[in-house]
């Protein structure tokens, strides 16, 4: 089965469901501004822990969020408010307009209608809704004279290759075959890379380009990770992909949101892969931990990658988080996150994310719950593949 990596890594383009915003992982550590970054390859377990953040309250910042009401946005807004910062949201007022009633809201379409931002100043802007370089350039250029720091939310899909273990931020990024294209579905990674460059060109030395991997947890509209807690909590025999040794990476949206606030507080500029956890984990350890957190109701049957392929089971979409890692995808699940960890990115246990995701799903109306768990193999197909696997043995 061939795999389109851009499909696999495509970020959350779908409209979101209301995010149940947990609070941040809690205060951590001041450290490392960008200057504390290490660029050499690292052993996954060799990260130095970021020094503890001082108990003193952070200097209050005014933060503009271009968006803020989808999936990641609410987590970072919640974290910023919890740290005492002042937040302004700029969006079209379409996605979850009722969120954050006490927060200042400016309305406009960032494609050509930034009038509401004119003449205003902020300490920092976070841009989670930029996908097209022309549009990011417009906001970054408009804000450059009156904003100190531009935090652009990019993606690990910028990388042109995923075939090297432990690749860091210096790895080559995708290029756009047709420079005039703004087709985000076809060229998500290349366009995000150009967005990063557009922000940096407008505000040299004042930009953080944050490259998350799969963002998971409460509020995720993509339905990807949700398959696992849902299925494990149902119990019984559960189809698990590969031999269990495949490395996987992800980041809970709440940990990412809290860390983005820290990046602002510390003014940590530069480019950082934002995914974890800190030490390398495997598909087996992740599913075992989730199963345990959900009451150990499931029995995992590990089915090898070649067999899944023969049975037409799609990695990532039907087996969320999982991509068989060799050849073109040999480096999948092993991206170097040392810069982000040195700058204070922390990771809650995956079992907590599983429990909280399930609790969040239970709060959704039935139609939204369906969408928020739309990924993952269907029960019929799972049963068929498990039966075929046993018959083959
Ligand atoms: N999900 C993943 O696994 C993943 C992985 C890697 C990277 N990422 C990146 O993480 C980010 C996730 O962002 P999110 O969607 O969760 O952010 P968000 O800020 O929570 O939601 C998107 C916001 O953008 C606003 N918006 C959309 N189009 C707009 C426009 N034309 N003008 C003004 N506002 C507009 C929406 O409000 P209105 O609709 O009301 O305008 C909404 O508030 C993305 O940059 C994505 O590429 C995601």
């Amino acid at each position: 089965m061939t795999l389109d990596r851009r499909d696999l890594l495509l970020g959350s383009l779908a409209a979101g469901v209301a995010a149940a915003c947990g609070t941040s992982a809690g205060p951590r550590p001041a450290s490392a501004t960008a200057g504390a970054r290490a660029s050499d390859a690292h052993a996954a377990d060799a990260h130095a822990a970021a020094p503890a953040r001082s108990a003193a309250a952070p200097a209050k910042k005014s933060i503009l969020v271009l968006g803020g009401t989808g999936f990641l946005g609410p987590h970072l807004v919640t974290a910023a408010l919890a740290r005492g910062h002042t937040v302004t949201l700029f969006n079209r007022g379409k996605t979850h307009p009722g969120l954050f009633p006490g927060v200042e809201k400016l309305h406009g379409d960032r494609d050509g209608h930034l009038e509401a931002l004119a003449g205003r100043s902020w300490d920092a802007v976070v841009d989670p809704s930029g996908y097209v370089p022309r549009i990011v350039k417009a906001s970054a250029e408009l804000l450059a004279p009156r904003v100190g720091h531009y935090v652009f939310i990019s993606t690990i899909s910028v990388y042109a290759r995923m075939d090297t273990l432990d690749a860091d931020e210096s790895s080559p990024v995708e290029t756009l075959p047709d420079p005039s294209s703004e087709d985000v579905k076809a060229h998500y990674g290349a366009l995000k890379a150009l967005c990063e460059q557009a922000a940096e060109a407008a505000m040299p030395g004042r930009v953080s380009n944050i490259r998350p991997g799969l963002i998971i947890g409460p509020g995720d509209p993509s339905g990807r990770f949700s398959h696992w807690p849902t299925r494990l909590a149902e119990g019984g025999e559960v189809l698990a992909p590969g031999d269990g040794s495949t490395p996987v990476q992800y980041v809970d949206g709440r940990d990412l949101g809290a860390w983005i606030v820290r990046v602002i507080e510390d003014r940590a500029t530069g480019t950082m892969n934002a995914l974890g956890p800190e030490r390398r984990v495997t598909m087996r350890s992740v599913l075992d931990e989730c199963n345990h957190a959900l009451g150990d109701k499931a029995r995992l049957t590990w089915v090898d990658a070649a067999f899944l392929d023969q049975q037409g089971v799609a990695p990532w979409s039907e087996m969320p988080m999982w991509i068989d890692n060799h050849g073109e995808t040999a480096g999948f699940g092993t991206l170097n996150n040392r810069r982000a960890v040195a700058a204070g990115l922390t990771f809650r246990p995956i079992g907590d994310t599983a429990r909280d995701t399930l609790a969040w799903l239970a709060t959704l109306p039935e139609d939204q719950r369906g969408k928020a768990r739309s990924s993952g193999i269907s029960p019929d197909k799972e049963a068929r593949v498990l039966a075929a696997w046993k018959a083959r043995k």
Side-chain angles (χ1 to χ4, degrees):
M1 174 172 300
T2 55
L3 207 60
D4 181 340
R5 197 173 63 79
R6 285 163 201 81
D7 284 349
L8 298 176
L9 301 180
L10 192 65
S12 73
L13 294 170
V17 289
C21 302
T23 48
S24 72
R28 283 260 342 216
S31 80
T33 58
R37 287 180 200 126
S39 60
D40 51 331
H42 69 292
D45 59 357
H47 297 301
R53 177 173 272 183
S54 99
K60 301 294 179 242
K61 302 260 187 185
S62 57
I63 301 171
L64 169 67
V65 181
L66 301 176
T69 58
F71 171 30
L72 175 60
H75 290 312
L76 77 90
V77 172
T78 301
L81 295 173
R83 296 279 294 169
H85 302 302
T86 305
V87 175
T88 302
L89 303 181
F90 173 86
N91 55 50
R92 296 165 302 177
K94 289 184 178 173
T95 305
H96 309 129
L99 275 181
F100 305 117
V103 164
E104 182 186 22
K105 289 170 186 162
L106 302 176
H107 287 141
D109 188 325
R110 59 179 300 179
D111 189 357
H113 296 283
L114 297 173
E115 297 84 355
L117 302 179
R120 295 284 307 268
S121 300
W122 289 272
D123 293 317
V125 54
V126 186
D127 181 354
S129 61
Y131 296 93
V132 172
R134 170 182 58 81
I135 295 174
V136 171
K137 177 177 190 278
S139 56
E141 284 182 352
L142 176 80
L143 294 165
R146 288 168 292 101
V147 165
H149 183 190
Y150 199 102
V151 181
F152 179 68
I153 308 306
S154 185
T155 168
I156 60 165
S157 294
V158 294
Y159 293 116
R161 306 159 65 103
M162 207 45 90
D163 57 358
T164 310
L165 291 183
D166 204 35
D168 70 12
E169 291 84 352
S170 63
S171 303
V173 297
E174 294 266 14
T175 51
L176 202 55
D178 167 9
S180 68
S181 175
E182 293 188 348
D183 182 343
V184 177
K185 281 216 155 164
H187 302 299
Y188 173 60
L191 287 168
K192 279 287 211 182
L194 290 171
C195 290
E196 292 182 355
Q197 293 159 26
E200 185 61 36
M203 293 178 61
R206 293 191 284 144
V207 175
S208 304
N209 281 312
I210 306 296
R211 295 177 175 169
L214 179 67
I215 307 174
I216 64 174
D220 178 8
S222 77
R224 290 177 288 190
F225 174 69
S226 304
H227 168 74
W228 291 117
T230 306
R231 184 63 194 88
L232 293 168
E234 281 164 7
E237 185 177 17
V238 172
L239 173 59
D243 64 4
S245 69
T246 312
V248 289
Q249 286 176 309
Y250 45 83
V251 59
D252 188 303
R254 297 166 295 180
D255 296 334
L256 181 59
W259 177 66
I260 290 167
V261 174
R262 176 161 178 192
V263 162
I264 292 169
E265 291 172 2
D266 295 346
R267 217 179 148 125
T269 53
T271 301
M272 291 178 269
N273 292 332
L275 73 178
E278 193 170 341
R279 287 181 173 73
R280 209 163 278 170
V281 293
T282 62
M283 196 70 203
R284 184 185 297 275
S285 69
V286 163
L287 292 190
D288 282 349
E289 217 182 302
C290 292
N291 190 27
H292 190 59
L294 298 170
D296 279 321
K297 295 183 200 139
R299 279 174 291 110
L300 299 173
T301 296
W302 295 91
V303 175
D304 81 42
F307 189 81
L308 291 177
D309 192 24
Q310 279 163 26
Q311 296 288 314
V313 175
W316 197 257
S317 56
E318 287 187 301
M319 291 285 110
M321 303 176 89
W322 178 79
I323 292 178
D324 188 27
N325 63 324
H326 55 256
E328 267 197 359
T329 55
F332 195 79
T334 74
L335 271 180
N336 182 313
N337 61 5
R338 192 176 198 167
R339 286 184 181 180
V341 169
L345 178 57
T346 58
F347 309 95
R348 72 193 63 211
I350 187 73
D352 291 2
T353 302
R355 253 194 316 262
D356 296 347
T357 302
L358 212 53
W360 164 71
L361 285 167
T363 67
L364 297 179
E366 190 50 47
D367 58 323
Q368 287 182 30
R369 196 178 317 148
K371 260 194 224 159
R373 32 178 301 197
S374 56
S375 280
I377 193 166
S378 71
D380 288 354
K381 187 166 177 182
E382 182 190 44
R384 257 200 330 273
V385 174
L386 283 170
W389 174 247
K390 283 177 198 151
R392 174 181 172 274
K393 277 176 134 183

